[in-house]
Structures are given as C-alpha cells and as structure tokens.
C-alpha cells in the first residue's frame, strides 16, 4: 500500500514527472508492467478493449482488458492493499473487440461487464459480477445479449436514451447534448436525438471516430470533441452556433497544430481538479499486426486543460508510447483522475498507469 510516508521499496518504484508544459500543480507517477511495477495482464499480443469501472466497490476503479488471438478473453486488474492483482473474468478464447461497458444489468447492486465480438463474430455478451465472492482464478458467468445479426461490436455505452427509465447498451457516448434533461446518443460524427419513437441523426463533424461530449464552457448546449480513431485527421471540438438539431449550426475548431495519427484514445474529465472539464487524447504507435518497428514511433499523448470558457492549455504527457483505448479514472483511490495506457499491439501485453499526485493511495 502506498502512503504519505512510503518506505524505500515503494520509493524505488516511483518516478515523479512534472508536466512537460510546466504544470506546477500536477505531477505524474508512471507505473508499468515493463518495469515490474504492475503484474502483467498476460493475455495475447492484441489488447482490444479497456474498461475502467468500480467492479469491487472500492475507492479505486478497476481495470478490465479484453483480448483476441488466444485465451484468456477477459482479464481484471484489481486494486488491493498491496498493489494490483490479476484476476481472470473469462478464461476461454473469444474474439473480443475494442470497447466495453459496465452497468448493474441484473440489478443486484454491483456493476456487470459487457463486451462484444470483433468482425469475425456476431455475439455480444455480459458477465455477471460475483461481488463480494471474488476468487482470482474463478471465471465470471458469461451470458449472451445477442447471438446473431451483424458482426463487430466496437464500443458500447449505457444510457436512458428513450426516456423510459431504463438504459440501453449501444453507441459510444451518452450525454445530454441539447440541455433538455434527456440523455442523448453520440456515435461517429453524429449525435442522435430521440423523438417520436425514432432517433434523429444530427451530423456534427466531417469525419467520425472517437467522440466525447461535455460542457467545456457555460453554454447550455454541450460541445462535442471528435478524434480520428483508426486513421489520421484533426482533433476537433464542435459547438453549435444555433439550433443544435440542425447540422449546419455546428462549427469545428482544431485543438492541435497537426493531425492526429490513429487517435484511438479520447476521454474527458476534470484532471487537474479546478472544476473545469479537460481533454485527454493520444495516438497509437503500432496498429499493424506484423512484427517489427512501430508504425508511428513519435506517437504522442496530450492533456488539454480547459479553463471553463472553451479555451485549452495544451500539454504533452509523453511521446513514443503506443495508446489504444486509453482511459481516465481514479485508479488509486485518492480522489483525483489518473490515466490508463493500454496499447493495442505495441509491446503487448502491457499496461501503464500515470498516477496523478499520488500522495495517498488506498484501495
């Protein structure tokens, strides 16, 4: 367990890093399977999905990684009093895709897990959380959500999109875009407003990819951030200058001075704790499955600190690391936002945690 007065063995694991942009308020500590600070997830060399959620109801969020190529299909990294331990959720081989979501599906008071198959399969599954009876090598019960129809299930999200009081698992982000009190669905380069029994698609940007919505200013209508995902393009924030249900009212603004290259990581949270929403975005270093050098050795991870008025201070967290489905969350239980780096095939299987000012770390 890390404490305010860690012993020498703990200090040996910590590498305190100031923000390259000179941010005096945030120090980052990187823990990595590369250095032995974390147990290796020990799945295949294609780490597809990443999920950050409080599965064990501890103060620290848990980490779930999905795999394909060979078993196991799902691995859970659980925060304990002495660090992190590796648990098996599903020991079988399943061709699982990127994404993943958590929700109390069986309404027993704990979060269950959802992942789906890649382009080779038509199945979407949920796994029943056995809380509080966790055993490291005892798999969770897997149940199907769908077993036929279209293949590939890239990204899931829960939200009460129809206003029925019950959430539905689909899409890539859920947020009240137009400020009417109802959760909306965001996917690709669209947001969808549910009216009259159907979802009305509203085109926001010119390209699709990773998408997140949030209120980065004091406006009633949310802004929408889009990164290119599997390809290259701008990291861009869009805001509506008029009626948000009309595609022509959305205007985009670039947030970086160059295109993102395979920007398959995009998340938002108040990272520095100043009450304003920030943006985290990062690039893949390797997306091809063939062995050899990285496809993009200068892959970069950025934190864009928001000021609450729609403006951002851009910083670089790290360069030369491969990112895929990187996530934000309180991974050490100290009340602030940390960063999970889960690469796809770059040096996989591998995990890196960037802990935010880890003065007190509790499970």
């Amino acid at each position: 367990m890390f404490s305010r007065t860690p012993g020498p063995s703990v200090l040996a694991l910590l590498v305190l890093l100031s923000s390259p942009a000179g941010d005096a308020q945030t120090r980052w500590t990187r823990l990595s399977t590369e250095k032995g600070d974390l147990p290796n997830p020990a799945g295949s060399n294609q780490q597809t999905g990443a999920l950050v959620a409080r599965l064990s109801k501890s103060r620290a969020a848990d980490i779930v990684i999905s795999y394909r190529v060979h078993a196991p299909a799902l691995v859970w990294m659980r925060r304990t009093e002495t660090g992190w331990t590796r648990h098996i959720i599903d020991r079988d081989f399943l061709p699982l895709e990127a994404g993943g979501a958590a929700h109390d599906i069986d309404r027993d008071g704990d979060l269950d897990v959802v992942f789906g198959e890649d382009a080779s399969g038509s199945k979407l599954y949920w796994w029943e959380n056995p809380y509080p009876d966790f055993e490291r090598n005892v798999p969770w019960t897997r149940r199907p959500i769908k077993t036929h129809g279209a293949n590939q299930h890239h990204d899931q999200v829960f939200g009460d999109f129809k206003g029925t009081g019950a959430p539905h698992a689909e899409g890539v982000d859920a947020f009240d875009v137009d400020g009417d009190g109802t959760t909306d669905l965001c996917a690709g380069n669209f947001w969808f407003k549910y009216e009259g029994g159907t979802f009305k698609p509203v085109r926001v940007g010119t390209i699709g990819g990773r998408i997140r919505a949030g209120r980065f200013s004091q406006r009633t209508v949310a802004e929408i951030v889009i990164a290119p995902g599997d390809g290259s393009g701008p990291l861009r924030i869009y805001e509506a200058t008029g009626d948000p249900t009309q595609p022509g009212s959305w205007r985009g603004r670039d947030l970086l001075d160059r295109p993102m290259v395979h920007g398959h990581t995009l998340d938002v949270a108040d990272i520095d704790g100043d009450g304003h929403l920030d943006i985290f975005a990062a690039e893949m270093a390797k997306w091809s499955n063939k062995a050899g050098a990285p496809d993009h050795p200068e892959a970069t991870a950025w934190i864009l600190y928001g000021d609450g008025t729609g403006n951002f201070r851009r910083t670089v967290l790290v360069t030369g690391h491969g990112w895929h489905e990187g996530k934000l969350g309180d991974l050490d239980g100290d009340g602030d936002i940390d960063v999970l780096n889960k690469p796809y095939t770059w040096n996989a299987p591998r995990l890196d945690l960037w802990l935010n000012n880890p003065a007190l770390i509790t499970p």
Side-chain angles (χ1 to χ4, degrees), residues 36 50 70-71 81 108 152 154 165 212 216 228 233 238 277 347 355:
H70 63 69
E81 292 184 358
D108 64 353
Q152 193 166 34
H154 196 304
R212 290 290 182 268
F216 298 93
Y238 295 86
L277 201 59
N347 294 343
L355 303 182

Side-chain angles (χ1 to χ4, degrees), residues 92-156:
D92 293 341
F93 163 70
L94 297 170
L96 296 184
E97 180 58 280
H103 185 72
D104 185 6
I105 295 174
D106 52 6
R107 300 184 181 181
D108 64 353
D110 54 48
L111 293 177
D112 307 300
V113 171
V114 170
F115 282 88
E117 294 183 334
D118 63 13
S120 68
S122 62
K123 297 182 177 64
L124 183 69
Y125 305 100
W126 72 279
W127 285 261
E128 182 181 354
N129 189 336
Y131 177 89
D133 300 320
F134 298 122
E135 296 186 39
R136 292 182 60 178
N137 294 311
V138 176
W140 297 13
T141 299
R142 179 198 338 138
R143 295 187 172 89
I145 295 175
K146 65 177 285 282
T147 59
H148 58 279
N151 287 10
Q152 193 166 34
H153 309 81
H154 196 304
D155 302 318
Q156 298 82 37

Side-chain angles (χ1 to χ4, degrees), residues 53-194:
R54 286 183 168 83
L55 304 178
S56 57
K57 298 188 181 182
S58 68
R59 291 179 59 186
D62 300 294
I63 301 166
V64 178
I65 307 297
S66 66
Y67 294 92
R68 57 187 174 195
V69 180
H70 63 69
L74 282 182
V75 172
W76 168 29
M77 307 296 284
R78 182 186 182 190
R79 178 76 176 117
T80 68
E81 292 184 358
T82 57
W84 281 265
T85 58
R86 177 182 181 268
H87 292 245
I88 297 293
I89 291 181
D90 199 314
R91 65 162 59 105
D92 293 341
F93 163 70
L94 297 170
L96 296 184
E97 180 58 280
H103 185 72
D104 185 6
I105 295 174
D106 52 6
R107 300 184 181 181
D108 64 353
D110 54 48
L111 293 177
D112 307 300
V113 171
V114 170
F115 282 88
E117 294 183 334
D118 63 13
S120 68
S122 62
K123 297 182 177 64
L124 183 69
Y125 305 100
W126 72 279
W127 285 261
E128 182 181 354
N129 189 336
Y131 177 89
D133 300 320
F134 298 122
E135 296 186 39
R136 292 182 60 178
N137 294 311
V138 176
W140 297 13
T141 299
R142 179 198 338 138
R143 295 187 172 89
I145 295 175
K146 65 177 285 282
T147 59
H148 58 279
N151 287 10
Q152 193 166 34
H153 309 81
H154 196 304
D155 302 318
Q156 298 82 37
V157 68
F158 285 86
D160 183 10
F161 304 116
K162 295 183 176 180
T164 62
H168 303 272
E170 57 185 306
V172 291
D173 200 14
F175 198 85
D176 179 6
V177 173
D178 55 0
D180 67 352
T182 301
T183 301
D184 302 304
L185 175 66
C186 299
N189 54 335
F190 290 83
W191 78 277
F192 297 80
K193 185 173 181 61
Y194 187 74

Side-chain angles (χ1 to χ4, degrees), residues 209-256:
R210 313 305 294 173
I211 186 170
R212 290 290 182 268
R215 288 187 169 83
F216 298 93
S217 63
Q218 305 303 314
R219 303 169 72 250
T220 300
V221 176
E223 291 89 0
I224 295 176
V225 183
I226 300 178
D230 294 321
S232 296
L235 174 65
R236 188 169 287 169
I237 186 168
Y238 295 86
E239 58 184 36
T241 58
D243 183 352
T245 66
Q246 300 301 312
S249 72
W250 290 91
R251 297 290 184 269
R253 171 166 52 97
D254 289 356
L255 296 175
L256 301 177

Side-chain angles (χ1 to χ4, degrees), residues 256-312:
L256 301 177
D257 56 5
R258 68 167 177 84
M260 288 189 74
V261 179
H262 282 253
H264 210 291
T265 287
L266 179 65
D267 210 349
V268 299
D270 180 7
I271 297 173
D272 56 0
D274 66 351
H276 306 311
L277 201 59
D278 308 311
I279 299 171
F280 177 67
E283 301 173 309
M284 296 176 68
K286 187 172 178 59
W287 49 86
S288 62
N289 295 328
K290 62 183 180 181
D295 302 295
H296 181 39
E298 299 301 317
T300 302
W302 295 271
I303 297 176
L304 294 89
Y305 292 101
D307 65 359
T309 67
N311 298 311
F312 299 89

